[in-house]
Amino acid sequence: MAAQRFAGPVLPDGETRDLYVVDGRVTYEKQAGAETVASGWIVPGLVDAHCHLGLDDDGAVSDAATEEQAILDRDGGALLIRDCGSAADTAWVHEREDLPRLIRAGRHIARTRRYIRGYAHEVEPDQLSAYVAQEAQRGDGWVKLVGDWISRDAGDLTPSFSPEDFAEAIRTAHEHGAKVTAHCFGTDVLPGLIAAGIDCLEHGTGLTPELIDSMVAGSVALVPTVMQLEKFPEYAEAGAAKFPAYAETMTDLHARRRETLMNAHEAGVQLYAGSDGGGVARHGNLAGEVVALHELGLSTEAALGAASWRAREWLGLDGRLSEGSSADFVVYDADPLADLGVLHRPAVVVLRGRVVA
């Protein structure tokens, strides 16, 4: 393939450069005869750190539907996806050079009758570690637990398992070389998970200042899915008649969400962008989550970094478009650090050195 030239400010540093793509790699050495493909602001490939390929409202979808989801995400600039739980086997995506890079967490692991029907392995405490070992071996280095969900007996959010069961599950995952993340809306489940050495939390609306300090000390990451949190009022309304305590909890968590998440950010917890695409949220809208992070209170650079260079480094890829790195980047016609809304309009998407959108 002939060398390709892209010109413009290269983020995060913002230095205006001629970036060339040769054999799928970035080089800044001038290439004679290179074809100029695009000029604009060049951003390392975006990362959706909480996405669900192969999943819709009712559970697993076909490979064809999964492909459509992946293309929507890719064309929105998301070139690396941490799939945060799916009922479908999406390992085949690895074989497609035209689809985003994928890091799978396998299937959610939840308590029996304590999660969305058709989504998770629903298990009892004595089965938890065995299923964690299974998903650690099937996935790409992550396991997804459902930390809390509504208990019909209690009428409110409660932890899915005991702290001891969670601790054993996390030990098992780590022994199998996998990291662990967990869906967590409320507060009660968090102390045990953080103390047990969990690697990441999803949503995190129940965090307290003391728990935030523990997260910082343990280098626990947070993917807050800010757009998803806007649905809390409708969850509260839907459950109010049968579960008034749950409705009150969700209303309170929603009211305090900005303070909670900004306290975590300002304390030094590393936040990353996740659209929660799949199920109730649409695919291809990672840009909306970056904008939501900024509206929460993050600077434009912090919000974009949470969906690009910082997130790539967190997940083990090159964060910057350095000499010899894989040519995964998005070109925009205007500066996204001046207006994050630009992220909704990628001009050119380059994945593995190929223009794919």
Side-chain angles (χ1 to χ4, degrees):
M1 184 182 296
Q4 298 173 307
R5 172 180 171 269
F6 300 82
V10 180
L11 297 185
D13 296 333
E15 180 182 354
T16 298
R17 308 185 71 175
D18 287 339
L19 181 155
Y20 298 90
V21 175
V22 180
D23 295 330
R25 298 284 170 178
V26 168
T27 182
Y28 293 99
E29 295 181 6
K30 187 172 182 179
Q31 302 294 307
E35 174 193 2
T36 298
V37 177
S39 297
W41 280 257
I42 303 170
V43 180
L46 302 187
V47 179
D48 194 334
H50 185 126
C51 191
H52 302 282
L53 289 182
L55 198 64
D56 70 3
D57 291 357
D58 300 314
V61 299
S62 68
D63 288 355
T66 300
E67 178 185 32
E68 292 176 4
Q69 295 173 346
I71 290 172
L72 284 171
D73 291 323
R74 180 202 69 190
D75 290 357
L79 304 185
L80 172 61
I81 291 173
R82 186 183 65 141
D83 192 290
C84 215
S86 179
D89 181 357
T90 57
W92 62 268
V93 173
H94 292 313
E95 302 170 6
R96 290 281 298 272
E97 294 289 305
D98 60 324
L99 297 182
R101 299 179 189 275
L102 181 63
I103 298 174
R104 297 170 302 128
R107 191 170 186 176
H108 304 75
I109 305 173
R111 187 69 174 266
T112 307
R113 296 177 59 84
R114 291 281 304 279
Y115 198 49
I116 302 168
R117 184 178 300 174
Y119 274 36
H121 292 300
E122 297 188 13
V123 306
E124 288 302 294
D126 61 347
Q127 303 170 297
L128 179 59
S129 288
Y131 274 86
V132 165
Q134 170 185 293
E135 295 309 298
Q137 293 168 334
R138 287 180 174 177
D140 300 323
W142 283 88
V143 171
K144 171 69 175 297
L145 304 176
V146 177
D148 62 3
W149 198 252
I150 186 171
S151 163
R152 288 166 175 78
D153 293 334
D156 203 351
L157 289 176
T158 63
S160 303
F161 301 95
S162 72
E164 295 75 19
D165 291 329
F166 276 129
E168 178 60 27
I170 292 168
R171 280 195 297 272
T172 298
H174 289 170
E175 288 169 358
H176 284 79
K179 296 181 178 180
V180 183
T181 194
H183 162 106
C184 302
F185 282 163
T187 298
D188 292 348
V189 70
L190 295 173
L193 290 174
I194 296 170
I198 198 165
D199 302 281
C200 184
L201 299 175
E202 311 299 315
H203 317 302
T205 41
L207 286 167
T208 64
E210 295 76 20
L211 291 170
I212 288 169
D213 289 342
S214 297
M215 286 186 73
V216 174
S219 300
V220 183
L222 174 62
V223 183
T225 64
V226 179
M227 292 188 298
Q228 170 70 3
L229 307 185
E230 296 305 316
K231 297 182 172 63
F232 279 19
E234 61 185 79
Y235 298 161
E237 182 178 0
K242 290 183 65 175
F243 306 112
Y246 166 78
E248 183 177 348
T249 294
M250 297 303 286
T251 299
D252 179 59
L253 292 172
H254 180 261
R256 294 188 291 107
R257 69 197 185 287
R258 182 185 184 280
E259 178 184 4
T260 298
L261 298 177
M262 285 305 297
N263 283 346
H265 172 63
E266 291 166 0
V269 174
Q270 295 301 305
L271 271 61
Y272 299 103
S275 72
D276 213 354
V280 297
R282 68 183 179 89
H283 284 269
N285 191 29
L286 179 60
E289 182 66 15
V290 179
V291 170
L293 282 169
H294 177 51
E295 292 175 344
L296 188 74
L298 274 65
S299 68
T300 56
E301 183 173 4
L304 182 52
S308 179
W309 52 89
R310 287 198 302 105
R312 294 177 68 83
E313 291 173 353
W314 176 53
L315 294 172
L317 276 72
D318 290 333
R320 295 170 181 263
L321 295 166
S322 54
E323 186 73 24
S325 64
S326 181
D328 296 351
F329 57 86
V330 188
V331 184
Y332 298 94
D333 290 332
D335 183 2
L337 293 179
D339 176 10
L340 289 172
V342 169
L343 298 176
H344 287 288
R345 304 182 297 277
V348 174
V349 177
V350 179
L351 174 62
R352 300 181 177 93
R354 301 178 181 180
V355 175
V356 291

